[in-house]
Amino acid sequence: MFCRNLGKSGLRVSCLGLGTWVTFGSQISDEMAESVMTVAYDSGVNLFDTAEVYASGRYSTDCLTYRLLQGGSMDTEEHARNDHLCVCVCVAGLRGSLSRLQLDYVDIVFANRTDVNAPMEEIVRAMTFVIEQGMAMYWGTSRWNVVEIMEAYSIARQFNLIPPVCEQAEYHYFQRDKVELHLPELYHKIGVGAMTWSPLACGLLTGKYNEGVPESSRAAMKGYAWLKERLCSDEGKKQLSKIKELHLLADRLNCTAAQLAIAWCLRSEGVSSVLLGVSNTEQLLENLGSVRVLSQLTPPLIAEMDALLGNKPRNVKKEARR
Ligand code: NDP
């Protein structure tokens, strides 16, 4: 597993991180959650994304505590270089997270724009306070638009406060504009990187929904009717037919559809890390294999995928990153 700097900060994060949304707590057992964390850690993942709202802060934090306190088999040279664990949490409930994780600080704390309804100066002051109090090393934004991030940066510069280093943004085949069109400019201008989420569009891109909704899948879970509706919509049907074609392309590359979709996210400029979500260790191992697929994503192949998807954002100045 290789690492990248988080934006232009000095924080080195594994290019694939593990998220604990949805499946942890509601869908998988404690034992499976622990196995998933163990496999991720032993495979070189050093970035774990959690929030108090994810699984009520229960499974994720138990497992994180376990992995952090127990350590792992860091026996290869690559792992040895990767000796720093990065934990991200959402700002709401930071003190609770720290005490549950038995940590003095987390590496990065995120301010979710939808959670925070305050003037920008207060948000930047609050995040600066969190860092100056030693509860976090860096802060990032989650679901903010480019104007908001620029405003936060300007306020930080004006009042000698600390600016954000990255934005958590949705990014996959069908959600491209922000990460490909807008965030690269921010990266160059103010060093804000992208930590992206939902690389498989909640599982859609794996092809598992091509023939309907499997009983054990996310779309069949209580509270995810919106996902089922999305699949059945006209737009969803169009997307499913593109996914079938992308599946054939993955076969040609001798990889799975999930691996191709995740590698495709990794190739994008300014993407520091892609957050994975999994229900079991098999899915995790498969998805981690996407790193090997990255070198196969040549410019002609990306062009072929763009033609197939038909939604390449305009004005993308620089495309491939390998
Ligand atoms: P994905 O889009 O990758 O969806 C993950 C789901 O897809 C899994 O739970 C599983 O669901 C299915 N899946 C994964 N791998 C495979 C595979 N190989 N084969 C078949 N099915 C597979 O990611 P998430 O939407 O879970 O997002 C990842 C992380 O990003 C979250 O955990 C969270 O940390 C972060 N996030 C942040 C947000 C924010 O606002 N900042 C918002 C959303 C996510 P199943 O088996 O149930 O079908």
Side-chain angles (χ1 to χ4, degrees):
M1 176 79 53
F2 61 90
C3 290
R4 288 174 175 168
N5 285 50
L6 186 59
K8 288 191 183 165
S9 80
L11 186 63
R12 300 282 290 168
V13 290
S14 48
C15 62
L16 297 177
L18 181 67
T20 57
W21 179 50
V22 183
T23 51
F24 280 64
S26 49
Q27 206 179 354
I28 64 179
S29 65
D30 288 14
E31 291 73 27
M32 181 56 79
E34 191 174 310
S35 297
V36 165
M37 298 294 295
T38 305
V39 169
Y41 183 76
D42 288 346
S43 305
V45 171
N46 79 351
L47 176 66
F48 296 88
D49 179 56
T50 186
E52 282 294 287
V53 289
Y54 291 174
S56 313
R58 185 169 141 250
Y59 290 88
S60 52
T61 47
D62 281 353
C63 293
L64 276 169
T65 305
Y66 169 77
R67 291 309 310 162
L68 289 168
L69 298 180
Q70 298 290 316
S73 53
M74 306 284 274
D75 46 8
T76 66
E77 200 184 307
E78 194 173 4
H79 281 169
R81 267 187 273 120
N82 194 17
D83 59 355
H84 185 71
L85 274 173
C86 307
V87 183
C88 324
V89 297
C90 197
V91 72
L94 176 58
R95 278 190 201 280
S97 287
L98 287 176
S99 111
R100 249 189 285 273
L101 291 163
Q102 298 177 36
L103 289 173
D104 294 327
Y105 69 93
V106 292
D107 297 275
I108 178 158
V109 63
F110 285 94
N112 195 338
R113 194 72 182 111
T114 51
D115 291 347
V116 184
N117 185 16
M120 187 60 80
E121 188 185 329
E122 285 180 28
I123 297 172
V124 181
R125 282 193 187 283
M127 301 310 276
T128 301
F129 175 81
V130 160
I131 292 171
E132 286 179 350
Q133 288 296 304
M135 289 187 272
M137 296 294 289
Y138 301 91
W139 76 278
T141 56
S142 171
R143 299 169 177 242
W144 290 28
N145 64 39
V146 169
V147 173
E148 291 168 334
I149 298 169
M150 260 333 268
E151 192 189 345
Y153 177 83
S154 304
I155 285 173
R157 286 286 168 254
Q158 186 182 354
F159 296 107
N160 202 20
L161 301 169
I162 300 173
V165 295
C166 96
E167 155 71 6
Q168 268 203 22
E170 183 177 6
Y171 185 47
H172 50 74
Y173 292 152
F174 304 120
Q175 190 72 48
R176 303 179 61 170
D177 286 15
K178 183 173 172 185
V179 169
E180 294 186 16
L181 209 50
H182 308 303
L183 290 184
E185 201 182 335
L186 278 193
Y187 173 75
H188 290 299
K189 280 191 179 152
I190 61 172
V192 165
M195 186 182 286
T196 66
W197 47 268
S198 288
L200 301 175
C202 293
L204 187 72
L205 308 186
T206 63
K208 72 196 306 170
Y209 296 112
N210 287 1
E211 312 302 335
V213 176
E215 242 175 60
S216 60
S217 64
R218 183 180 294 185
M221 282 169 63
K222 212 173 149 209
Y224 288 84
W226 59 268
L227 185 54
K228 216 170 178 174
E229 277 165 27
R230 191 167 113 190
L231 293 169
C232 301
S233 67
D234 289 347
E235 188 59 25
K237 284 177 193 151
K238 271 191 218 153
Q239 292 178 348
L240 284 173
S241 79
K242 289 185 177 176
I243 289 163
K244 284 180 189 161
E245 292 187 58
L246 286 159
H247 217 120
L248 298 177
L249 207 150
D251 287 346
R252 230 170 69 202
L253 297 180
N254 214 8
C255 68
T256 68
Q259 289 171 335
L260 180 61
I262 296 164
W264 181 89
C265 293
L266 279 174
R267 105 230 173 269
S268 194
E269 196 204 1
V271 170
S272 302
S273 190
V274 174
L275 293 174
L276 305 176
V278 294
S279 309
N280 53 52
T281 47
E282 286 73 27
Q283 287 181 359
L284 177 63
L285 285 167
E286 177 185 335
N287 298 355
L288 292 173
S290 57
V291 173
R292 288 192 300 273
V293 179
L294 186 56
S295 61
Q296 291 179 262
L297 301 192
T298 56
L301 193 100
I302 293 294
E304 192 180 340
M305 293 176 81
D306 279 335
L308 209 156
L309 288 166
N311 63 352
K312 182 178 173 174
R314 292 200 190 157
N315 301 331
V316 177
K317 289 175 199 142
K318 229 172 158 188
E319 174 68 26
R321 171 173 181 170
R322 287 190 293 137

